[in-house]
Amino acid sequence: MRPVSEMIFLDGYVGVPFTFNTPALFDDPTGIVISQSCNGLFCCRSYMFNKASEIYIYIFNPSTNHCRVLPTYDQQMVNTGFHVTSVSLAFDPINSINYEVVVTWSYGRTKRNGRCKYHITIYSSKTNSWRLSGDVIYAPEYDLSKSGVFWNGLLHWLTIDETQVVYFDFDQESFNTLALPSPPDARRLAYKTKRIKYFGECRGNLYVIQTFGHLLVGCFDILEVKVDYTGWNIKYRVDLEGLTKGYPEISNVSDFSVLYVHEMEEQGSSSKLVLRAGNKVISYDIEDASFKEIQDLQQNLYGVIADKAFPYVESLVCV
């Protein structure tokens, strides 16, 4: 299945279709999906995800239209009953032209205290080969089912119960965890209805947005991870009251999603949230609470409106 994608420019230009126009991506017998973007590169994989022997992984650079098909990984993992749960890309062009791809493998039948056993295999573009990490993690099923977020030289996953972040250290080839902050006392009764609206990286910061309760009370915090992993800082406080007046169809937290936290580098410019409400993509100024509609998403061939966004060079690719 070829991705149905749209390019959304964050500086106000009109969005355009985004095409993965390289033959290598079209030859996959099951079609491809985007797993992740990371600093200008896209990590794609075969659409069929439940049969590890049929999965191919591709690294695509849209600026050069170059695509690398990664060598197949160790079939011993497949033959011993492990299955792929996620594929993640780690690329820091400031430090190196090379990148690494991390595949998490789960063996659900081997559990410890109700937790699944995960292995990690790592591909290095420098050596064009895979290696098996020595560290094993036992985590609840589906904790590592999504692509990790690359930040601070490490890969990060949000646990399925949304209580902590699991991160992987490439140098030590080991896992660690960081607990998410508890809600303020006034929100404790709504803690069971906590929702993570966003988990992503922008301009050297890793952000999490939490909301509590069913109703959109108008205010929430954007939290950033401290670089030393000792806790969290409140980076922004957001009040969406004005937005809900402009878009009355947004009546509770389930009516919108956060696609991107867009931090600005230019002096005098304020940071923004990129939100999706229905088929509308809205840019919301965090400082002055102004907003504008920047895109009207089209339904794809299956009648589905894009629900994922991948950052790419001052724009988003929505699928």
Side-chain angles (χ1 to χ4, degrees):
M1 185 175 70
R2 189 179 303 180
V4 180
S5 309
E6 288 189 68
M7 178 82 79
I8 297 178
F9 294 103
L10 301 179
D11 53 8
Y13 289 98
V14 178
V16 296
F18 186 86
T19 305
F20 288 84
N21 55 344
T22 179
L25 293 174
F26 301 155
D27 294 338
D28 193 301
T30 68
I32 67 155
V33 294
I34 304 172
S35 287
Q36 187 187 12
S37 64
C38 185
N39 293 319
L41 297 181
F42 280 88
C43 180
C44 306
R45 59 165 175 80
S46 299
Y47 177 69
M48 292 297 292
F49 207 38
N50 57 341
K51 297 181 180 179
S53 60
E54 297 179 2
I55 292 177
Y56 296 92
I57 299 173
Y58 312 88
I59 303 301
F60 178 55
N61 185 340
S63 66
T64 62
N65 201 35
H66 179 263
C67 179
R68 171 179 283 188
V69 184
L70 302 193
T72 55
Y73 25 71
D74 190 353
Q75 286 297 305
Q76 182 179 356
M77 297 291 290
V78 178
N79 298 334
T80 53
F82 282 85
H83 64 274
V84 175
T85 58
S86 68
V87 180
S88 305
L89 174 62
F91 175 51
D92 184 357
I94 295 178
N95 293 321
S96 174
I97 62 172
N98 295 301
Y99 55 82
E100 293 181 294
V101 176
V102 170
V103 176
T104 61
W105 301 78
S106 173
Y107 190 64
R109 288 176 293 176
T110 300
K111 294 186 177 181
R112 177 185 297 174
N113 297 326
R115 300 189 166 203
C116 296
K117 181 180 181 181
Y118 288 93
H119 277 292
I120 293 285
T121 52
I122 305 169
Y123 169 82
S124 169
S125 64
K126 184 176 182 179
T127 63
N128 192 33
S129 62
W130 293 89
R131 68 182 187 274
L132 177 66
S133 170
D135 198 22
V136 175
I137 183 174
Y138 285 86
E141 193 171 6
Y142 307 119
D143 263 8
L144 305 183
S145 62
K146 296 181 179 180
S147 295
V149 176
F150 183 63
W151 173 73
N152 199 30
L154 313 176
L155 272 173
H156 304 75
W157 291 265
L158 188 68
T159 58
I160 194 66
D161 62 2
E162 300 181 347
T163 61
Q164 59 184 348
V165 172
V166 176
Y167 55 98
F168 179 73
D169 186 318
F170 286 90
D171 293 333
Q172 302 296 325
E173 292 197 5
S174 61
F175 289 94
N176 292 284
T177 61
L178 173 65
L180 284 167
S182 299
D185 290 341
R187 303 182 193 173
R188 287 192 180 277
L189 293 178
Y191 187 59
K192 291 185 179 179
T193 57
K194 178 186 74 172
R195 301 187 186 192
I196 300 295
K197 302 297 290 186
Y198 181 78
F199 178 59
E201 182 272 343
C202 181
R203 300 198 186 281
N205 295 300
L206 183 64
Y207 293 123
V208 170
I209 297 177
Q210 299 180 103
T211 60
F212 301 93
H214 295 290
L215 296 179
L216 180 64
V217 295
C219 185
F220 56 82
D221 298 329
I222 301 179
L223 307 173
E224 65 172 354
V225 180
K226 294 182 179 179
V227 176
D228 59 4
Y229 292 91
T230 57
W232 303 79
N233 293 319
I234 297 177
K235 184 63 177 288
Y236 303 107
R237 181 150 285 165
V238 179
D239 187 347
L240 293 181
E241 182 179 358
L243 181 65
T244 59
K245 291 179 179 178
Y247 291 86
E249 63 269 29
I250 304 177
S251 60
N252 60 64
V253 295
S254 63
D255 292 335
F256 76 96
S257 60
V258 179
L259 299 179
Y260 194 47
V261 176
H262 186 211
E263 273 210 300
M264 307 296 288
E265 287 185 333
E266 299 81 4
Q267 187 174 3
S269 299
S270 57
S271 298
K272 296 176 174 61
L273 285 181
V274 182
L275 309 171
R276 197 204 82 177
N279 62 338
K280 308 295 185 182
V281 178
I282 303 162
S283 175
Y284 181 86
D285 191 297
I286 295 175
E287 292 186 12
D288 65 17
S290 63
F291 55 90
K292 66 177 180 179
E293 190 174 307
I294 59 175
Q295 184 81 351
D296 190 343
L297 293 174
Q298 302 299 313
Q299 294 181 347
N300 65 20
L301 296 176
Y302 305 97
V304 177
I305 298 173
D307 62 351
K308 294 181 181 179
F310 300 92
Y312 180 68
V313 191
E314 299 302 321
S315 64
L316 297 178
V317 173
C318 288
V319 297

